[in-house]
Amino acid sequence: GEDVEQSLFLSVREGDSSVINCTYTDSSSTYLYWYKQEPGAGLQLLTYIFSNMDMKQDQRLTVLLNKKDKHLSLRIADTQTGDSAIYFCAETAGGGNKLTFGTGTQLKVEL
Amino acid sequence: DARVTQTPRHKVTEMGQEVTMRCQPILGHNTVFWYRQTMMQGLELLAYFRNRAPLDDSGMPKDRFSAEMPDATLATLKIQPSEPRDSAVYFCASGPDRVIDTQYFGPGTRLTVL
């Protein structure tokens, strides 16, 4: 079956880097995504990476993909209090834009 | 700025009542998804439509839940009769049906069944 796993919680100090990890099982996934969910809101796409890439950088965000180990990570540089949210990784499942979401990681940024 | 809209944003009802949640997908998107989010189960896919046809509703309790798309601008999720265990946030998402594209989420309907 398709399982996307993440650790449940991460706490960092403001200004530090955050690294959120994800493992997935479907090696045929074409794209992998990171979504952010702020309190009381829906999920919002943060970034994505194509499966033939190892790394993608987008301002403070760096996505690393280790396809051999089926491991995806999201690094947030200079983490701010506004980054406090739940972060979901997701993989394409079965073609089209149907996604399998991870369990979500709650990031708490402390002053 | 195109967005997925959902109504109502909040709903409190009593056990046994019918609940209808509505979603307006982004114009031009031909896939629509319904999700349920709870603390215990996380994000669960309930139903998935492409070009208004249901493709996958295996995540939905069939005896009480139903999902439809009467037209391309409206998707509905009904629960009849509702139960306290249905209390959750229900999200609708839409997207163009291409692998390179993704899903755009609405703000959700927070349902409380007493």
Side-chain angles (χ1 to χ4, degrees), chain B residues 77-95:
Chain B
L77 180 66
K78 289 186 182 179
I79 308 173
Q80 168 63 15
S82 57
E83 297 180 2
R85 60 181 167 149
D86 301 329
S87 297
V89 181
Y90 291 81
F91 289 104
C92 174
S94 72

Side-chain angles (χ1 to χ4, degrees), chain A residues 14-92:
Chain A
E14 188 178 38
D16 288 351
S17 292
S18 308
V19 179
I20 302 171
N21 295 302
C22 170
T23 56
Y24 61 97
T25 57
D26 189 350
S27 57
S28 65
S29 291
T30 313
Y31 285 88
L32 295 123
Y33 303 86
W34 283 104
Y35 280 79
K36 177 183 181 182
Q37 184 182 28
E38 295 181 348
L43 279 69
Q44 179 182 16
L45 179 67
L46 266 185
T47 187
Y48 65 90
I49 188 166
F50 188 46
S51 59
N52 70 350
M53 297 171 63
D54 297 326
M55 185 180 84
K56 179 179 179 181
Q57 187 149 3
D58 184 0
Q59 298 182 331
R60 292 190 297 120
L61 305 178
T62 303
V63 179
L64 295 178
L65 176 60
N66 181 329
K67 202 171 180 182
K68 175 176 167 290
D69 294 338
K70 295 178 189 163
H71 184 264
L72 182 73
S73 68
L74 173 70
R75 178 177 179 269
I76 306 172
D78 187 24
T79 312
Q80 303 296 307
T81 54
D83 295 324
S84 293
I86 302 175
Y87 290 81
F88 292 88
C89 63
E91 59 177 350
T92 50

